[in-house]
Coordinates of all heavy atoms in Angstrom, one line a residue:
A30 N 0.9 -1.2 0.0 CA 0.0 0.0 0.0 C 0.9 1.2 0.0 O 1.9 1.3 0.6 CB -0.9 0.0 1.2
G31 N 0.4 2.3 -0.7 CA 1.3 3.4 -0.9 C 1.3 4.5 0.2 O 2.1 5.3 0.3
S32 N 0.3 4.4 1.1 CA 0.2 5.4 2.1 C 0.1 4.7 3.5 O -0.5 3.6 3.6 CB -1.0 6.4 1.9 OG -2.2 5.7 2.2
V33 N 0.5 5.4 4.5 CA 0.4 4.9 5.8 C -1.1 4.8 6.2 O -1.5 3.8 6.8 CB 1.1 5.8 6.8 CG1 0.8 5.4 8.3 CG2 2.6 5.8 6.6
A34 N -1.9 5.7 5.8 CA -3.4 5.7 6.1 C -4.0 4.4 5.5 O -4.8 3.7 6.2 CB -4.1 6.9 5.5
L35 N -3.6 4.1 4.3 CA -4.2 2.8 3.6 C -3.6 1.6 4.3 O -4.4 0.6 4.6 CB -3.9 2.8 2.1 CG -4.4 1.6 1.4 CD1 -6.0 1.5 1.6 CD2 -4.1 1.8 -0.1
K36 N -2.3 1.6 4.7 CA -1.8 0.5 5.4 C -2.5 0.2 6.7 O -2.8 -0.9 7.0 CB -0.3 0.7 5.7 CG 0.6 0.6 4.5 CD 2.1 0.9 4.9 CE 3.0 0.8 3.7 NZ 3.2 -0.5 3.2
L37 N -2.8 1.3 7.4 CA -3.5 1.1 8.7 C -4.9 0.7 8.5 O -5.4 -0.2 9.3 CB -3.4 2.4 9.5 CG -2.0 2.8 10.0 CD1 -2.1 4.2 10.6 CD2 -1.5 1.8 10.9
A38 N -5.6 1.2 7.5 CA -7.0 0.7 7.2 C -7.0 -0.8 6.8 O -7.9 -1.5 7.3 CB -7.5 1.6 6.0
L39 N -6.0 -1.2 6.0 CA -5.9 -2.6 5.7 C -5.6 -3.5 6.9 O -6.2 -4.6 7.0 CB -4.9 -2.8 4.6 CG -5.3 -2.3 3.2 CD1 -4.1 -2.3 2.3 CD2 -6.4 -3.1 2.6
A40 N -4.8 -3.0 7.8 CA -4.5 -3.7 9.0 C -5.7 -3.9 9.9 O -6.0 -5.0 10.4 CB -3.3 -3.0 9.8
R41 N -6.5 -2.8 10.0 CA -7.7 -2.9 10.7 C -8.7 -3.8 10.1 O -9.4 -4.6 10.8 CB -8.4 -1.5 10.9 CG -7.7 -0.6 11.9 CD -8.5 0.7 12.2 NE -8.6 1.5 11.0 CZ -7.7 2.4 10.6 NH1 -6.7 2.6 11.3 NH2 -7.9 3.1 9.5
Q42 N -8.8 -3.8 8.8 CA -9.7 -4.7 8.1 C -9.3 -6.2 8.3 O -10.2 -7.0 8.6 CB -9.7 -4.4 6.6 CG -10.6 -5.2 5.8 CD -12.1 -4.9 6.0 OE1 -12.4 -3.8 6.4 NE2 -13.0 -5.9 6.0
A43 N -8.0 -6.5 8.2 CA -7.6 -7.8 8.4 C -7.9 -8.3 9.8 O -8.4 -9.4 10.1 CB -6.1 -7.9 8.2
G44 N -7.7 -7.4 10.8 CA -8.1 -7.7 12.2 C -9.5 -7.9 12.4 O -10.0 -8.8 13.1
D45 N -10.3 -7.0 11.8 CA -11.8 -7.2 11.9 C -12.3 -8.5 11.4 O -13.1 -9.2 12.0 CB -12.5 -6.0 11.2 CG -12.4 -4.7 11.9 OD1 -12.0 -4.7 13.0 OD2 -12.7 -3.7 11.2
E46 N -11.7 -8.9 10.2 CA -12.1 -10.2 9.6 C -11.7 -11.4 10.5 O -12.4 -12.3 10.6 CB -11.6 -10.3 8.2 CG -12.0 -9.2 7.2 CD -13.4 -8.9 7.1 OE1 -14.3 -9.8 7.4 OE2 -13.8 -7.8 6.7
A47 N -10.5 -11.2 11.1 CA -10.1 -12.3 12.0 C -11.0 -12.4 13.2 O -11.3 -13.5 13.7 CB -8.7 -12.0 12.5
K48 N -11.5 -11.3 13.7 CA -12.5 -11.3 14.8 C -13.8 -11.9 14.4 O -14.4 -12.7 15.1 CB -12.7 -9.8 15.3 CG -11.6 -9.2 16.1 CD -12.0 -7.8 16.4 CE -10.7 -7.0 16.9 NZ -11.0 -5.6 17.1
H49 N -14.2 -11.6 13.2 CA -15.4 -12.3 12.7 C -15.2 -13.8 12.6 O -16.1 -14.5 13.0 CB -15.8 -11.7 11.3 CG -16.0 -10.3 11.2 ND1 -15.9 -9.5 10.1 CD2 -16.3 -9.4 12.2 CE1 -16.2 -8.3 10.3 NE2 -16.4 -8.1 11.6
Y50 N -14.1 -14.2 12.1 CA -13.8 -15.6 12.0 C -13.9 -16.3 13.4 O -14.5 -17.3 13.6 CB -12.4 -15.8 11.5 CG -12.0 -17.3 11.2 CD1 -12.1 -17.8 9.9 CD2 -11.6 -18.1 12.2 CE1 -11.8 -19.1 9.7 CE2 -11.3 -19.4 12.0 CZ -11.4 -19.9 10.7 OH -11.1 -21.3 10.4
A51 N -13.3 -15.6 14.4 CA -13.3 -16.2 15.8 C -14.8 -16.3 16.3 O -15.1 -17.3 17.0 CB -12.5 -15.3 16.7
R52 N -15.6 -15.3 16.0 CA -17.0 -15.3 16.5 C -17.8 -16.4 15.8 O -18.6 -17.1 16.5 CB -17.6 -14.0 16.2 CG -17.2 -12.9 17.1 CD -17.9 -11.6 16.9 NE -17.3 -10.5 17.7 CZ -17.1 -9.3 17.3 NH1 -17.4 -8.9 16.1 NH2 -16.6 -8.4 18.1
I53 N -17.6 -16.6 14.5 CA -18.3 -17.7 13.8 C -17.8 -19.1 14.3 O -18.6 -20.0 14.6 CB -18.0 -17.6 12.3 CG1 -18.7 -16.3 11.8 CG2 -18.6 -18.8 11.6 CD1 -18.3 -15.9 10.4
E54 N -16.5 -19.2 14.5 CA -15.9 -20.4 15.1 C -16.5 -20.7 16.5 O -16.9 -21.9 16.7 CB -14.4 -20.2 15.2 CG -13.6 -21.5 15.3 CD -12.1 -21.2 15.3 OE1 -11.7 -20.3 16.0 OE2 -11.4 -21.9 14.5
E55 N -16.7 -19.7 17.3 CA -17.3 -19.8 18.6 C -18.7 -20.3 18.5 O -19.2 -21.2 19.2 CB -17.2 -18.5 19.4 CG -17.8 -18.5 20.7 CD -17.7 -17.2 21.4 OE1 -16.8 -16.4 21.1 OE2 -18.7 -16.9 22.2
R56 N -19.5 -19.7 17.5 CA -20.9 -20.1 17.3 C -21.0 -21.5 16.9 O -21.9 -22.3 17.3 CB -21.6 -19.2 16.4 CG -23.0 -19.5 16.1 CD -23.8 -19.3 17.4 NE -25.2 -19.7 17.1 CZ -26.0 -20.4 17.9 NH1 -25.5 -20.8 19.1 NH2 -27.2 -20.7 17.6
L57 N -20.1 -22.0 16.0 CA -20.1 -23.3 15.5 C -19.9 -24.3 16.7 O -20.5 -25.3 16.8 CB -19.0 -23.5 14.4 CG -19.5 -23.1 13.0 CD1 -18.3 -23.0 12.1 CD2 -20.5 -24.0 12.5
R58 N -19.0 -24.0 17.5 CA -18.7 -24.8 18.7 C -20.0 -24.9 19.6 O -20.3 -25.9 20.1 CB -17.5 -24.3 19.5 CG -16.2 -24.7 18.8 CD -15.0 -24.5 19.6 NE -13.8 -24.9 18.9 CZ -13.0 -24.1 18.2 NH1 -13.3 -22.8 18.2 NH2 -12.0 -24.5 17.6
E59 N -20.6 -23.7 19.8 CA -21.9 -23.7 20.6 C -22.9 -24.6 19.9 O -23.7 -25.2 20.7 CB -22.4 -22.3 20.6 CG -21.7 -21.3 21.5 CD -22.1 -19.9 21.4 OE1 -23.1 -19.6 20.6 OE2 -21.5 -19.0 22.0
L60 N -22.9 -24.7 18.6 CA -23.8 -25.6 17.9 C -23.4 -27.1 17.9 O -24.1 -27.9 17.3 CB -24.0 -25.1 16.5 CG -24.7 -23.8 16.3 CD1 -24.7 -23.3 14.9 CD2 -26.2 -23.8 16.8
G61 N -22.3 -27.3 18.5 CA -21.8 -28.7 18.6 C -20.9 -29.2 17.5 O -20.6 -30.4 17.3
D62 N -20.5 -28.2 16.7 CA -19.6 -28.6 15.5 C -18.2 -28.8 16.0 O -17.6 -27.9 16.6 CB -19.7 -27.5 14.4 CG -19.0 -28.0 13.1 OD1 -18.8 -29.2 12.9 OD2 -18.8 -27.1 12.3
D63 N -17.6 -29.9 15.7 CA -16.2 -30.2 16.0 C -15.3 -29.7 14.8 O -15.4 -30.3 13.7 CB -16.0 -31.7 16.2 CG -14.6 -32.0 16.6 OD1 -13.7 -31.1 16.8 OD2 -14.3 -33.2 16.6
L64 N -14.6 -28.7 15.1 CA -13.8 -28.1 14.0 C -12.3 -28.7 13.9 O -11.5 -28.2 13.2 CB -13.7 -26.6 14.1 CG -15.1 -25.9 13.9 CD1 -15.0 -24.4 14.3 CD2 -15.5 -26.0 12.5
A65 N -12.1 -29.7 14.7 CA -10.8 -30.3 14.7 C -10.5 -30.8 13.3 O -11.2 -31.5 12.7 CB -10.7 -31.5 15.7
G66 N -9.3 -30.3 12.8 CA -8.9 -30.8 11.4 C -9.6 -30.0 10.3 O -9.3 -30.2 9.1
F67 N -10.5 -29.1 10.6 CA -11.2 -28.4 9.5 C -10.3 -27.3 9.0 O -9.8 -26.5 9.8 CB -12.5 -27.8 10.1 CG -13.2 -26.9 9.1 CD1 -13.8 -27.4 7.9 CD2 -13.3 -25.5 9.3 CE1 -14.4 -26.6 7.0 CE2 -13.9 -24.7 8.4 CZ -14.5 -25.2 7.2
N68 N -10.2 -27.2 7.7 CA -9.4 -26.1 7.0 C -10.4 -25.5 6.0 O -10.7 -26.1 5.0 CB -8.2 -26.7 6.3 CG -7.4 -25.7 5.6 OD1 -7.8 -24.5 5.5 ND2 -6.4 -26.1 4.9
P69 N -10.8 -24.3 6.3 CA -11.7 -23.6 5.4 C -11.2 -23.4 4.0 O -11.9 -23.2 3.0 CB -12.0 -22.3 6.1 CG -10.9 -22.0 7.0 CD -10.4 -23.4 7.4
L70 N -9.9 -23.5 3.8 CA -9.2 -23.3 2.5 C -8.8 -24.6 1.9 O -8.1 -24.5 0.9 CB -8.0 -22.3 2.7 CG -8.4 -20.9 3.2 CD1 -7.2 -20.1 3.5 CD2 -9.3 -20.2 2.2
A71 N -9.2 -25.7 2.4 CA -8.8 -27.0 1.9 C -9.1 -27.1 0.4 O -8.4 -27.7 -0.4 CB -9.4 -28.1 2.7

């Protein structure tokens, strides 16, 4: 990224998406889904 502002925005975005991932993962566990060995990019 060419600017510090854009770099920081992208860093925040990556972090936000990681938080979303963790929340969905938590919900799946609440629903009884065993995610052991699960790779979403398989």
